[in-house]
Structures are given as C-alpha cells and as structure tokens.
Amino acid sequence: MVKSRRWGCIVVVCLVSIVAVPFLRAQTATTGALSGTVTDSTGAVIANAAVTVSSTGTSQTRTATTGSDGSYKIGLLPPGNYRVKFEISGFNAAVVPSVAVNVTETAVLNQALT
C-alpha cells in the first residue's frame, strides 16, 4: 500500500511538471505591451476611441478600441519604438510620435483628447 502511494505521488509530480513547463516558458516572452486610458479635456473617459500603434522600424500596424472605462491594451508587440494615434469622431486626433516598448514590460500611455 505504501509503495503504491509513493508511485502515485511520483506520477502526480511528473504530470504537474509536464503541464507547468509551457507556462514557465511563457514567462520568458520576447514581446512587450502598451496600455493606457483615453480621456477628454475634463478627465472623463472616452469609450470606443481608436488607438493605432505603428512600429517606426517595420511599419507594422495594430489597432485597438478603448473599452467603456476608456482603457486599452495592445499586447505582443515586438520591442522597439512606436507611433501612436488616438482618434474618435467629435475630437481632434492626437499623435504621439515615439513610445518605447521593451521586452516583458507594459508601457503606459494615457492620452487626453480635445
């Protein structure tokens, strides 16, 4: 009985180790992210604003839309510098010409639209 429990424990430990390996590797990412909140000039959040991120090195573009709380997040961005454009009907578009995205970090870029 004791031997079978030991083998059972060994099997469980092995299975947990096999399942955990992909999660451990995911922590060594080679990408970063960009997040923030879009507001108006009074500080009220703006939902459904378009946020366009363009790599200054590769010209690749990604787009996100702000949520009901005005927040956005764009993940899996290769490290580098990005141009970020914020726009929604009724407001002037805003452009941030250069934002650095680093590996495993989330750069925060909040923007107020007028």
Side-chain angles (χ1 to χ4, degrees):
M1 184 81 159
V2 173
K3 286 185 180 183
S4 64
R5 280 191 174 168
R6 281 188 194 158
W7 279 108
C9 289
I10 291 171
V11 169
V12 169
V13 168
C14 288
L15 289 174
V16 168
S17 298
I18 290 170
V19 170
V21 168
F23 295 109
L24 294 175
R25 290 177 40 203
Q27 292 177 357
T28 61
T30 59
T31 60
L34 184 63
S35 70
T37 302
V38 179
T39 59
D40 66 13
S41 58
T42 69
V45 297
I46 299 176
N48 299 316
V51 181
T52 304
V53 178
S54 303
S55 169
T56 59
T58 66
S59 299
Q60 291 180 328
T61 300
R62 301 261 308 273
T63 302
T65 303
T66 58
S68 61
D69 60 352
S71 69
Y72 70 92
K73 184 170 183 180
I74 302 172
L76 301 175
L77 294 171
N81 290 316
Y82 290 84
R83 176 183 182 269
V84 185
K85 184 176 183 179
F86 301 89
E87 56 189 337
I88 189 168
S89 178
F91 291 88
N92 294 323
V95 176
V96 178
S98 184
V99 176
V101 173
N102 298 310
V103 173
T104 69
E105 294 180 10
T106 299
V108 177
L109 180 62
N110 297 322
Q111 183 66 47
L113 300 180
T114 56

